[in-house]
Amino acid sequence: PEGTSEARARLESAAELAPEAAAPWLLSAYLAEPASRPALLVAALERAPRSIEAWLELGDALRAQSDAPGALNAYRNAIA
């Protein structure tokens, strides 16, 4: 999609400027290929372990990769 590469570049810059922030990683996951999403979401969760949105997105990403146990664990963390 138009503008995606610019958005990715800006998110990478944001992550470099504020490495403790979870938002750039979470937003990058939305733009990423499905196979890359879990790693980006884990990076977001390392910065914001109580992020319900990141846990839910991780569950969805793992479910899409047929990782039912991982998805279930992520969903449980979302409601913990």
Short mmCIF file of all heavy atoms in Angstrom, two decimals:
data_model
loop_
_atom_site.label_atom_id
_atom_site.label_comp_id
_atom_site.label_asym_id
_atom_site.label_seq_id
_atom_site.Cartn_x
_atom_site.Cartn_y
_atom_site.Cartn_z
N PRO A 1 0.81 -1.21 0.00
CA PRO A 1 0.00 0.00 0.00
C PRO A 1 0.85 1.26 0.00
O PRO A 1 1.95 1.28 0.54
CB PRO A 1 -0.82 -0.10 1.28
CG PRO A 1 -0.75 -1.52 1.68
CD PRO A 1 0.49 -2.10 1.07
N GLU A 2 0.31 2.30 -0.58
CA GLU A 2 1.02 3.56 -0.67
C GLU A 2 1.30 4.12 0.72
O GLU A 2 0.45 4.13 1.59
CB GLU A 2 0.16 4.56 -1.45
CG GLU A 2 0.87 5.85 -1.76
CD GLU A 2 0.01 6.77 -2.59
OE1 GLU A 2 -0.79 6.28 -3.40
OE2 GLU A 2 0.15 7.98 -2.41
N GLY A 3 2.53 4.57 0.92
CA GLY A 3 2.90 5.16 2.19
C GLY A 3 3.40 4.19 3.24
O GLY A 3 3.87 4.59 4.29
N THR A 4 3.30 2.89 2.96
CA THR A 4 3.70 1.89 3.95
C THR A 4 5.19 1.96 4.25
O THR A 4 5.60 1.90 5.41
CB THR A 4 3.31 0.48 3.49
OG1 THR A 4 1.91 0.44 3.27
CG2 THR A 4 3.68 -0.56 4.52
N SER A 5 6.01 2.11 3.22
CA SER A 5 7.46 2.14 3.45
C SER A 5 7.85 3.39 4.25
O SER A 5 8.73 3.33 5.10
CB SER A 5 8.23 2.06 2.15
OG SER A 5 7.91 3.15 1.31
N GLU A 6 7.19 4.51 3.99
CA GLU A 6 7.47 5.72 4.77
C GLU A 6 7.04 5.53 6.22
O GLU A 6 7.76 5.93 7.14
CB GLU A 6 6.74 6.92 4.18
CG GLU A 6 7.04 8.20 4.93
CD GLU A 6 6.33 9.41 4.36
OE1 GLU A 6 5.81 9.34 3.24
OE2 GLU A 6 6.30 10.42 5.08
N ALA A 7 5.90 4.90 6.43
CA ALA A 7 5.43 4.64 7.79
C ALA A 7 6.40 3.74 8.53
O ALA A 7 6.72 3.98 9.69
CB ALA A 7 4.04 4.03 7.77
N ARG A 8 6.88 2.70 7.85
CA ARG A 8 7.86 1.80 8.48
C ARG A 8 9.12 2.55 8.87
O ARG A 8 9.66 2.36 9.96
CB ARG A 8 8.20 0.66 7.53
CG ARG A 8 7.15 -0.38 7.45
CD ARG A 8 7.63 -1.59 6.65
NE ARG A 8 6.57 -2.56 6.57
CZ ARG A 8 6.12 -3.10 5.45
NH1 ARG A 8 6.67 -2.77 4.30
NH2 ARG A 8 5.15 -3.97 5.46
N ALA A 9 9.59 3.41 7.98
CA ALA A 9 10.81 4.17 8.27
C ALA A 9 10.61 5.09 9.47
O ALA A 9 11.49 5.21 10.33
CB ALA A 9 11.21 4.98 7.04
N ARG A 10 9.46 5.71 9.56
CA ARG A 10 9.19 6.60 10.69
C ARG A 10 9.08 5.82 12.00
O ARG A 10 9.52 6.28 13.05
CB ARG A 10 7.94 7.43 10.44
CG ARG A 10 8.15 8.48 9.38
CD ARG A 10 6.90 9.28 9.12
NE ARG A 10 7.12 10.19 8.03
CZ ARG A 10 7.09 11.51 8.15
NH1 ARG A 10 6.83 12.06 9.32
NH2 ARG A 10 7.30 12.27 7.12
N LEU A 11 8.49 4.64 11.92
CA LEU A 11 8.38 3.81 13.13
C LEU A 11 9.75 3.32 13.58
O LEU A 11 10.02 3.26 14.78
CB LEU A 11 7.43 2.63 12.89
CG LEU A 11 5.96 3.03 12.81
CD1 LEU A 11 5.13 1.87 12.27
CD2 LEU A 11 5.44 3.47 14.16
N GLU A 12 10.61 2.98 12.63
CA GLU A 12 11.98 2.58 12.99
C GLU A 12 12.71 3.75 13.67
O GLU A 12 13.41 3.55 14.66
CB GLU A 12 12.75 2.13 11.75
CG GLU A 12 12.31 0.77 11.24
CD GLU A 12 13.02 0.39 9.96
OE1 GLU A 12 14.04 1.02 9.59
OE2 GLU A 12 12.54 -0.56 9.31
N SER A 13 12.52 4.95 13.15
CA SER A 13 13.14 6.13 13.77
C SER A 13 12.59 6.35 15.17
O SER A 13 13.35 6.67 16.10
CB SER A 13 12.88 7.38 12.92
OG SER A 13 13.54 7.27 11.69
N ALA A 14 11.29 6.19 15.32
CA ALA A 14 10.67 6.36 16.65
C ALA A 14 11.22 5.34 17.63
O ALA A 14 11.49 5.67 18.80
CB ALA A 14 9.16 6.24 16.55
N ALA A 15 11.41 4.11 17.19
CA ALA A 15 11.94 3.07 18.07
C ALA A 15 13.38 3.38 18.49
O ALA A 15 13.78 3.11 19.61
CB ALA A 15 11.87 1.71 17.38
N GLU A 16 14.14 3.98 17.58
CA GLU A 16 15.52 4.35 17.91
C GLU A 16 15.56 5.53 18.89
O GLU A 16 16.39 5.57 19.78
CB GLU A 16 16.28 4.70 16.64
CG GLU A 16 16.58 3.50 15.77
CD GLU A 16 17.23 3.89 14.45
OE1 GLU A 16 17.66 5.06 14.29
OE2 GLU A 16 17.30 3.02 13.57
N LEU A 17 14.64 6.48 18.69
CA LEU A 17 14.62 7.67 19.55
C LEU A 17 14.11 7.37 20.96
O LEU A 17 14.51 8.01 21.92
CB LEU A 17 13.77 8.76 18.91
CG LEU A 17 14.36 9.39 17.65
CD1 LEU A 17 13.33 10.30 16.98
CD2 LEU A 17 15.62 10.17 17.99
N ALA A 18 13.17 6.43 21.05
CA ALA A 18 12.58 6.08 22.35
C ALA A 18 12.55 4.56 22.48
O ALA A 18 11.51 3.94 22.35
CB ALA A 18 11.19 6.67 22.47
N PRO A 19 13.70 3.95 22.74
CA PRO A 19 13.77 2.49 22.76
C PRO A 19 12.90 1.83 23.83
O PRO A 19 12.56 0.66 23.72
CB PRO A 19 15.25 2.19 22.99
CG PRO A 19 15.86 3.46 23.47
CD PRO A 19 14.98 4.57 23.00
N GLU A 20 12.51 2.60 24.86
CA GLU A 20 11.68 2.03 25.91
C GLU A 20 10.20 2.06 25.56
O GLU A 20 9.38 1.46 26.26
CB GLU A 20 11.92 2.78 27.23
CG GLU A 20 11.32 4.18 27.28
CD GLU A 20 12.04 5.25 26.43
OE1 GLU A 20 13.16 5.02 25.95
OE2 GLU A 20 11.45 6.30 26.26
N ALA A 21 9.84 2.72 24.48
CA ALA A 21 8.43 2.86 24.09
C ALA A 21 7.93 1.62 23.35
O ALA A 21 8.61 1.08 22.47
CB ALA A 21 8.24 4.08 23.21
N ALA A 22 6.74 1.18 23.69
CA ALA A 22 6.15 0.00 23.06
C ALA A 22 5.42 0.34 21.77
O ALA A 22 5.32 -0.50 20.86
CB ALA A 22 5.18 -0.67 24.03
N ALA A 23 4.90 1.55 21.66
CA ALA A 23 4.04 1.91 20.53
C ALA A 23 4.69 1.69 19.16
O ALA A 23 4.03 1.14 18.27
CB ALA A 23 3.56 3.34 20.67
N PRO A 24 5.94 2.08 18.94
CA PRO A 24 6.51 1.85 17.61
C PRO A 24 6.54 0.37 17.23
O PRO A 24 6.31 0.01 16.07
CB PRO A 24 7.92 2.42 17.70
CG PRO A 24 7.87 3.39 18.81
CD PRO A 24 6.86 2.85 19.78
N TRP A 25 6.79 -0.47 18.20
CA TRP A 25 6.84 -1.91 17.93
C TRP A 25 5.45 -2.46 17.64
O TRP A 25 5.26 -3.26 16.73
CB TRP A 25 7.46 -2.64 19.12
CG TRP A 25 8.87 -2.21 19.35
CD1 TRP A 25 9.30 -1.26 20.23
CD2 TRP A 25 10.03 -2.66 18.67
NE1 TRP A 25 10.65 -1.10 20.13
CE2 TRP A 25 11.13 -1.95 19.18
CE3 TRP A 25 10.25 -3.60 17.66
CZ2 TRP A 25 12.43 -2.16 18.73
CZ3 TRP A 25 11.54 -3.81 17.22
CH2 TRP A 25 12.61 -3.10 17.75
N LEU A 26 4.48 -2.02 18.41
CA LEU A 26 3.11 -2.45 18.20
C LEU A 26 2.60 -2.00 16.84
O LEU A 26 2.02 -2.79 16.08
CB LEU A 26 2.22 -1.92 19.32
CG LEU A 26 0.75 -2.33 19.30
CD1 LEU A 26 0.60 -3.83 19.38
CD2 LEU A 26 0.01 -1.68 20.45
N LEU A 27 2.83 -0.75 16.51
CA LEU A 27 2.39 -0.24 15.22
C LEU A 27 3.14 -0.90 14.07
O LEU A 27 2.56 -1.14 13.01
CB LEU A 27 2.55 1.28 15.18
CG LEU A 27 1.65 2.03 16.16
CD1 LEU A 27 2.03 3.50 16.21
CD2 LEU A 27 0.19 1.85 15.81
N SER A 28 4.42 -1.20 14.26
CA SER A 28 5.18 -1.90 13.23
C SER A 28 4.60 -3.27 12.95
O SER A 28 4.61 -3.75 11.82
CB SER A 28 6.65 -2.04 13.64
OG SER A 28 7.27 -0.79 13.67
N ALA A 29 4.08 -3.91 13.99
CA ALA A 29 3.48 -5.23 13.82
C ALA A 29 2.27 -5.17 12.90
O ALA A 29 2.03 -6.10 12.12
CB ALA A 29 3.09 -5.82 15.17
N TYR A 30 1.53 -4.08 12.95
CA TYR A 30 0.36 -3.94 12.07
C TYR A 30 0.76 -3.87 10.61
O TYR A 30 0.01 -4.28 9.74
CB TYR A 30 -0.45 -2.69 12.43
CG TYR A 30 -1.16 -2.78 13.75
CD1 TYR A 30 -1.00 -1.78 14.70
CD2 TYR A 30 -2.01 -3.83 14.04
CE1 TYR A 30 -1.65 -1.84 15.92
CE2 TYR A 30 -2.66 -3.90 15.26
CZ TYR A 30 -2.48 -2.90 16.19
OH TYR A 30 -3.14 -2.97 17.38
N LEU A 31 1.95 -3.33 10.33
CA LEU A 31 2.42 -3.17 8.96
C LEU A 31 3.23 -4.37 8.47
O LEU A 31 3.51 -4.48 7.29
CB LEU A 31 3.29 -1.92 8.84
CG LEU A 31 2.62 -0.59 9.15
CD1 LEU A 31 3.65 0.53 9.14
CD2 LEU A 31 1.51 -0.31 8.15
N ALA A 32 3.61 -5.24 9.38
CA ALA A 32 4.53 -6.33 9.06
C ALA A 32 3.84 -7.50 8.35
O ALA A 32 2.63 -7.67 8.43
CB ALA A 32 5.19 -6.84 10.34
N GLU A 33 4.67 -8.28 7.71
CA GLU A 33 4.21 -9.55 7.14
C GLU A 33 3.82 -10.45 8.31
O GLU A 33 4.40 -10.35 9.40
CB GLU A 33 5.32 -10.20 6.33
CG GLU A 33 5.74 -9.41 5.10
CD GLU A 33 4.62 -9.32 4.08
OE1 GLU A 33 3.88 -10.28 3.89
OE2 GLU A 33 4.50 -8.24 3.47
N PRO A 34 2.86 -11.34 8.11
CA PRO A 34 2.38 -12.19 9.20
C PRO A 34 3.49 -12.95 9.95
O PRO A 34 3.43 -13.05 11.17
CB PRO A 34 1.41 -13.15 8.51
CG PRO A 34 0.89 -12.37 7.35
CD PRO A 34 2.07 -11.54 6.88
N ALA A 35 4.48 -13.43 9.25
CA ALA A 35 5.54 -14.20 9.90
C ALA A 35 6.38 -13.34 10.85
O ALA A 35 6.96 -13.86 11.81
CB ALA A 35 6.44 -14.84 8.86
N SER A 36 6.43 -12.04 10.61
CA SER A 36 7.24 -11.14 11.44
C SER A 36 6.47 -10.56 12.63
O SER A 36 7.08 -10.01 13.55
CB SER A 36 7.73 -9.97 10.59
OG SER A 36 8.49 -10.43 9.52
N ARG A 37 5.16 -10.68 12.60
CA ARG A 37 4.35 -10.03 13.63
C ARG A 37 4.67 -10.49 15.07
O ARG A 37 4.81 -9.65 15.96
CB ARG A 37 2.87 -10.22 13.34
CG ARG A 37 2.45 -9.44 12.10
CD ARG A 37 0.96 -9.44 11.90
NE ARG A 37 0.44 -8.46 12.85
CZ ARG A 37 -0.68 -8.61 13.53
NH1 ARG A 37 -1.43 -9.67 13.36
NH2 ARG A 37 -1.09 -7.68 14.37
N PRO A 38 4.77 -11.81 15.33
CA PRO A 38 5.02 -12.21 16.73
C PRO A 38 6.27 -11.59 17.34
O PRO A 38 6.24 -11.13 18.48
CB PRO A 38 5.12 -13.73 16.65
CG PRO A 38 4.27 -14.09 15.48
CD PRO A 38 4.53 -12.98 14.49
N ALA A 39 7.36 -11.53 16.60
CA ALA A 39 8.60 -10.98 17.15
C ALA A 39 8.44 -9.49 17.48
O ALA A 39 8.94 -9.03 18.52
CB ALA A 39 9.75 -11.17 16.16
N LEU A 40 7.75 -8.76 16.64
CA LEU A 40 7.53 -7.33 16.90
C LEU A 40 6.62 -7.14 18.12
O LEU A 40 6.83 -6.23 18.93
CB LEU A 40 6.93 -6.66 15.67
CG LEU A 40 7.88 -6.59 14.47
CD1 LEU A 40 7.10 -6.21 13.21
CD2 LEU A 40 9.00 -5.61 14.73
N LEU A 41 5.63 -8.00 18.25
CA LEU A 41 4.72 -7.90 19.39
C LEU A 41 5.41 -8.28 20.69
O LEU A 41 5.18 -7.67 21.74
CB LEU A 41 3.47 -8.75 19.14
CG LEU A 41 2.60 -8.19 18.00
CD1 LEU A 41 1.63 -9.24 17.51
CD2 LEU A 41 1.89 -6.94 18.44
N VAL A 42 6.30 -9.26 20.63
CA VAL A 42 7.09 -9.62 21.82
C VAL A 42 7.98 -8.44 22.21
O VAL A 42 8.11 -8.12 23.40
CB VAL A 42 7.90 -10.90 21.57
CG1 VAL A 42 8.96 -11.11 22.65
CG2 VAL A 42 6.97 -12.11 21.50
N ALA A 43 8.55 -7.75 21.22
CA ALA A 43 9.36 -6.57 21.51
C ALA A 43 8.52 -5.49 22.19
O ALA A 43 8.97 -4.84 23.13
CB ALA A 43 10.00 -6.03 20.23
N ALA A 44 7.29 -5.32 21.73
CA ALA A 44 6.39 -4.35 22.37
C ALA A 44 6.10 -4.76 23.81
O ALA A 44 6.10 -3.93 24.72
CB ALA A 44 5.09 -4.23 21.58
N LEU A 45 5.88 -6.06 24.01
CA LEU A 45 5.56 -6.55 25.35
C LEU A 45 6.75 -6.48 26.30
O LEU A 45 6.57 -6.35 27.51
CB LEU A 45 4.99 -7.97 25.27
CG LEU A 45 3.57 -8.01 24.72
CD1 LEU A 45 3.22 -9.41 24.26
CD2 LEU A 45 2.60 -7.50 25.77
N GLU A 46 7.95 -6.55 25.77
CA GLU A 46 9.13 -6.38 26.62
C GLU A 46 9.16 -4.97 27.20
O GLU A 46 9.68 -4.74 28.28
CB GLU A 46 10.40 -6.65 25.82
CG GLU A 46 10.60 -8.12 25.50
CD GLU A 46 11.73 -8.37 24.53
OE1 GLU A 46 12.28 -7.41 23.95
OE2 GLU A 46 12.06 -9.55 24.33
N ARG A 47 8.58 -4.03 26.47
CA ARG A 47 8.57 -2.64 26.91
C ARG A 47 7.32 -2.29 27.70
O ARG A 47 7.34 -1.38 28.52
CB ARG A 47 8.70 -1.74 25.69
CG ARG A 47 10.08 -1.82 25.08
CD ARG A 47 10.11 -1.54 23.60
NE ARG A 47 11.47 -1.59 23.08
CZ ARG A 47 12.09 -2.72 22.74
NH1 ARG A 47 11.49 -3.87 22.87
NH2 ARG A 47 13.32 -2.69 22.27
N ALA A 48 6.23 -2.99 27.41
CA ALA A 48 4.95 -2.73 28.09
C ALA A 48 4.25 -4.06 28.36
O ALA A 48 3.32 -4.43 27.65
CB ALA A 48 4.08 -1.83 27.23
N PRO A 49 4.72 -4.80 29.37
CA PRO A 49 4.20 -6.15 29.61
C PRO A 49 2.73 -6.21 30.00
O PRO A 49 2.12 -7.27 29.93
CB PRO A 49 5.08 -6.69 30.73
CG PRO A 49 5.79 -5.53 31.30
CD PRO A 49 5.81 -4.45 30.27
N ARG A 50 2.14 -5.09 30.33
CA ARG A 50 0.72 -5.08 30.72
C ARG A 50 -0.19 -4.59 29.58
O ARG A 50 -1.36 -4.33 29.79
CB ARG A 50 0.53 -4.23 31.97
CG ARG A 50 1.30 -4.82 33.17
CD ARG A 50 1.12 -4.02 34.42
NE ARG A 50 -0.25 -3.79 34.78
CZ ARG A 50 -0.98 -4.56 35.59
NH1 ARG A 50 -0.43 -5.62 36.13
NH2 ARG A 50 -2.23 -4.27 35.87
N SER A 51 0.36 -4.48 28.38
CA SER A 51 -0.41 -4.00 27.23
C SER A 51 -1.41 -5.06 26.77
O SER A 51 -1.03 -6.06 26.15
CB SER A 51 0.51 -3.63 26.07
OG SER A 51 -0.26 -3.36 24.91
N ILE A 52 -2.66 -4.84 27.08
CA ILE A 52 -3.70 -5.78 26.66
C ILE A 52 -3.74 -5.89 25.15
O ILE A 52 -3.86 -6.99 24.59
CB ILE A 52 -5.07 -5.36 27.24
CG1 ILE A 52 -5.05 -5.47 28.76
CG2 ILE A 52 -6.20 -6.19 26.64
CD1 ILE A 52 -6.24 -4.85 29.43
N GLU A 53 -3.63 -4.75 24.48
CA GLU A 53 -3.68 -4.75 23.02
C GLU A 53 -2.56 -5.61 22.42
O GLU A 53 -2.80 -6.40 21.51
CB GLU A 53 -3.57 -3.32 22.50
CG GLU A 53 -3.67 -3.22 21.00
CD GLU A 53 -3.59 -1.79 20.48
OE1 GLU A 53 -3.33 -0.87 21.28
OE2 GLU A 53 -3.80 -1.61 19.28
N ALA A 54 -1.35 -5.47 22.95
CA ALA A 54 -0.23 -6.25 22.42
C ALA A 54 -0.44 -7.74 22.68
O ALA A 54 -0.14 -8.58 21.82
CB ALA A 54 1.08 -5.77 23.03
N TRP A 55 -0.94 -8.10 23.87
CA TRP A 55 -1.20 -9.52 24.17
C TRP A 55 -2.26 -10.08 23.23
O TRP A 55 -2.13 -11.20 22.72
CB TRP A 55 -1.62 -9.71 25.62
CG TRP A 55 -0.47 -9.68 26.59
CD1 TRP A 55 -0.26 -8.76 27.56
CD2 TRP A 55 0.62 -10.61 26.67
NE1 TRP A 55 0.90 -9.06 28.24
CE2 TRP A 55 1.45 -10.20 27.72
CE3 TRP A 55 0.96 -11.76 25.94
CZ2 TRP A 55 2.61 -10.88 28.07
CZ3 TRP A 55 2.12 -12.45 26.30
CH2 TRP A 55 2.93 -12.00 27.35
N LEU A 56 -3.33 -9.32 23.00
CA LEU A 56 -4.38 -9.80 22.10
C LEU A 56 -3.86 -9.94 20.67
O LEU A 56 -4.16 -10.93 19.98
CB LEU A 56 -5.59 -8.86 22.14
CG LEU A 56 -6.38 -8.85 23.44
CD1 LEU A 56 -7.45 -7.77 23.39
CD2 LEU A 56 -7.00 -10.21 23.71
N GLU A 57 -3.11 -8.97 20.22
CA GLU A 57 -2.54 -9.03 18.87
C GLU A 57 -1.57 -10.21 18.75
O GLU A 57 -1.53 -10.88 17.72
CB GLU A 57 -1.84 -7.72 18.51
CG GLU A 57 -2.79 -6.57 18.30
CD GLU A 57 -3.73 -6.79 17.12
OE1 GLU A 57 -3.35 -7.42 16.13
OE2 GLU A 57 -4.88 -6.31 17.20
N LEU A 58 -0.79 -10.45 19.80
CA LEU A 58 0.12 -11.59 19.78
C LEU A 58 -0.68 -12.89 19.69
O LEU A 58 -0.33 -13.79 18.92
CB LEU A 58 1.03 -11.60 21.01
CG LEU A 58 2.01 -12.76 21.10
CD1 LEU A 58 2.95 -12.79 19.89
CD2 LEU A 58 2.80 -12.68 22.39
N GLY A 59 -1.75 -12.98 20.46
CA GLY A 59 -2.60 -14.17 20.37
C GLY A 59 -3.14 -14.37 18.97
O GLY A 59 -3.11 -15.49 18.43
N ASP A 60 -3.60 -13.31 18.35
CA ASP A 60 -4.11 -13.41 16.98
C ASP A 60 -3.02 -13.84 16.00
O ASP A 60 -3.24 -14.66 15.12
CB ASP A 60 -4.71 -12.09 16.53
CG ASP A 60 -6.00 -11.74 17.25
OD1 ASP A 60 -6.58 -12.62 17.93
OD2 ASP A 60 -6.44 -10.58 17.13
N ALA A 61 -1.82 -13.24 16.17
CA ALA A 61 -0.71 -13.57 15.27
C ALA A 61 -0.29 -15.03 15.41
O ALA A 61 -0.03 -15.71 14.42
CB ALA A 61 0.48 -12.64 15.55
N LEU A 62 -0.24 -15.51 16.64
CA LEU A 62 0.14 -16.91 16.86
C LEU A 62 -0.94 -17.87 16.38
O LEU A 62 -0.65 -18.92 15.82
CB LEU A 62 0.46 -17.14 18.34
CG LEU A 62 1.70 -16.39 18.84
CD1 LEU A 62 1.82 -16.52 20.35
CD2 LEU A 62 2.95 -16.90 18.14
N ARG A 63 -2.18 -17.49 16.58
CA ARG A 63 -3.30 -18.32 16.09
C ARG A 63 -3.23 -18.42 14.57
O ARG A 63 -3.43 -19.50 14.00
CB ARG A 63 -4.62 -17.73 16.54
CG ARG A 63 -5.83 -18.58 16.18
CD ARG A 63 -7.08 -17.98 16.77
NE ARG A 63 -7.14 -16.57 16.44
CZ ARG A 63 -8.13 -16.00 15.77
NH1 ARG A 63 -9.16 -16.70 15.39
NH2 ARG A 63 -8.10 -14.72 15.50
N ALA A 64 -2.91 -17.33 13.90
CA ALA A 64 -2.80 -17.33 12.44
C ALA A 64 -1.67 -18.24 11.96
O ALA A 64 -1.70 -18.73 10.84
CB ALA A 64 -2.58 -15.91 11.93
N GLN A 65 -0.69 -18.48 12.84
CA GLN A 65 0.43 -19.37 12.50
C GLN A 65 0.20 -20.78 13.03
O GLN A 65 1.12 -21.58 13.10
CB GLN A 65 1.73 -18.80 13.06
CG GLN A 65 2.14 -17.51 12.39
CD GLN A 65 3.44 -16.97 12.93
OE1 GLN A 65 4.01 -17.46 13.90
NE2 GLN A 65 3.93 -15.92 12.29
N SER A 66 -1.04 -21.05 13.44
CA SER A 66 -1.44 -22.37 13.95
C SER A 66 -0.73 -22.76 15.23
O SER A 66 -0.52 -23.94 15.51
CB SER A 66 -1.23 -23.46 12.88
OG SER A 66 -2.00 -23.17 11.75
N ASP A 67 -0.34 -21.77 16.02
CA ASP A 67 0.27 -22.01 17.32
C ASP A 67 -0.80 -21.82 18.39
O ASP A 67 -0.85 -20.79 19.07
CB ASP A 67 1.45 -21.07 17.54
CG ASP A 67 2.15 -21.28 18.88
OD1 ASP A 67 1.69 -22.12 19.69
OD2 ASP A 67 3.15 -20.58 19.12
N ALA A 68 -1.66 -22.82 18.53
CA ALA A 68 -2.78 -22.72 19.47
C ALA A 68 -2.31 -22.56 20.91
O ALA A 68 -2.84 -21.71 21.64
CB ALA A 68 -3.72 -23.91 19.31
N PRO A 69 -1.33 -23.35 21.38
CA PRO A 69 -0.89 -23.17 22.77
C PRO A 69 -0.32 -21.77 23.03
O PRO A 69 -0.59 -21.15 24.05
CB PRO A 69 0.18 -24.25 22.96
CG PRO A 69 -0.13 -25.28 21.93
CD PRO A 69 -0.68 -24.52 20.77
N GLY A 70 0.48 -21.26 22.09
CA GLY A 70 1.04 -19.93 22.24
C GLY A 70 -0.04 -18.86 22.24
O GLY A 70 -0.01 -17.92 23.02
N ALA A 71 -1.02 -19.02 21.34
CA ALA A 71 -2.12 -18.07 21.27
C ALA A 71 -2.92 -18.07 22.57
O ALA A 71 -3.26 -17.02 23.11
CB ALA A 71 -3.02 -18.40 20.08
N LEU A 72 -3.22 -19.25 23.08
CA LEU A 72 -3.97 -19.36 24.32
C LEU A 72 -3.23 -18.69 25.47
O LEU A 72 -3.81 -17.96 26.27
CB LEU A 72 -4.27 -20.83 24.64
CG LEU A 72 -5.11 -21.09 25.86
CD1 LEU A 72 -6.46 -20.41 25.75
CD2 LEU A 72 -5.30 -22.59 26.04
N ASN A 73 -1.93 -18.90 25.53
CA ASN A 73 -1.11 -18.26 26.57
C ASN A 73 -1.17 -16.74 26.45
O ASN A 73 -1.31 -16.03 27.45
CB ASN A 73 0.33 -18.76 26.49
CG ASN A 73 1.17 -18.21 27.61
OD1 ASN A 73 0.84 -18.34 28.77
ND2 ASN A 73 2.27 -17.57 27.24
N ALA A 74 -1.08 -16.22 25.22
CA ALA A 74 -1.14 -14.78 25.02
C ALA A 74 -2.51 -14.23 25.45
O ALA A 74 -2.59 -13.20 26.11
CB ALA A 74 -0.86 -14.44 23.57
N TYR A 75 -3.58 -14.91 25.07
CA TYR A 75 -4.92 -14.47 25.45
C TYR A 75 -5.08 -14.49 26.97
O TYR A 75 -5.69 -13.59 27.54
CB TYR A 75 -5.99 -15.31 24.79
CG TYR A 75 -6.06 -15.16 23.29
CD1 TYR A 75 -6.23 -16.27 22.48
CD2 TYR A 75 -5.97 -13.91 22.68
CE1 TYR A 75 -6.30 -16.13 21.09
CE2 TYR A 75 -6.05 -13.77 21.31
CZ TYR A 75 -6.21 -14.89 20.52
OH TYR A 75 -6.29 -14.75 19.15
N ARG A 76 -4.53 -15.50 27.61
CA ARG A 76 -4.60 -15.56 29.09
C ARG A 76 -3.87 -14.38 29.71
O ARG A 76 -4.33 -13.82 30.71
CB ARG A 76 -4.03 -16.88 29.59
CG ARG A 76 -4.95 -18.04 29.37
CD ARG A 76 -4.40 -19.30 29.99
NE ARG A 76 -5.36 -20.38 29.81
CZ ARG A 76 -5.01 -21.63 29.57
NH1 ARG A 76 -3.74 -21.97 29.51
NH2 ARG A 76 -5.94 -22.55 29.42
N ASN A 77 -2.72 -14.03 29.14
CA ASN A 77 -1.99 -12.89 29.66
C ASN A 77 -2.75 -11.58 29.46
O ASN A 77 -2.61 -10.66 30.25
CB ASN A 77 -0.61 -12.79 29.01
CG ASN A 77 0.38 -13.71 29.67
OD1 ASN A 77 0.69 -13.55 30.84
ND2 ASN A 77 0.87 -14.69 28.94
N ALA A 78 -3.55 -11.51 28.41
CA ALA A 78 -4.32 -10.31 28.14
C ALA A 78 -5.35 -10.06 29.23
O ALA A 78 -5.65 -8.91 29.55
CB ALA A 78 -5.02 -10.40 26.78
N ILE A 79 -5.88 -11.14 29.81
CA ILE A 79 -6.93 -10.96 30.83
C ILE A 79 -6.40 -11.11 32.24
O ILE A 79 -7.16 -10.99 33.20
CB ILE A 79 -8.11 -11.94 30.60
CG1 ILE A 79 -7.64 -13.39 30.65
CG2 ILE A 79 -8.79 -11.63 29.28
CD1 ILE A 79 -8.77 -14.39 30.63
N ALA A 80 -5.10 -11.37 32.38
CA ALA A 80 -4.50 -11.55 33.72
C ALA A 80 -4.40 -10.24 34.46
O ALA A 80 -4.33 -9.19 33.93
CB ALA A 80 -3.14 -12.20 33.60
#
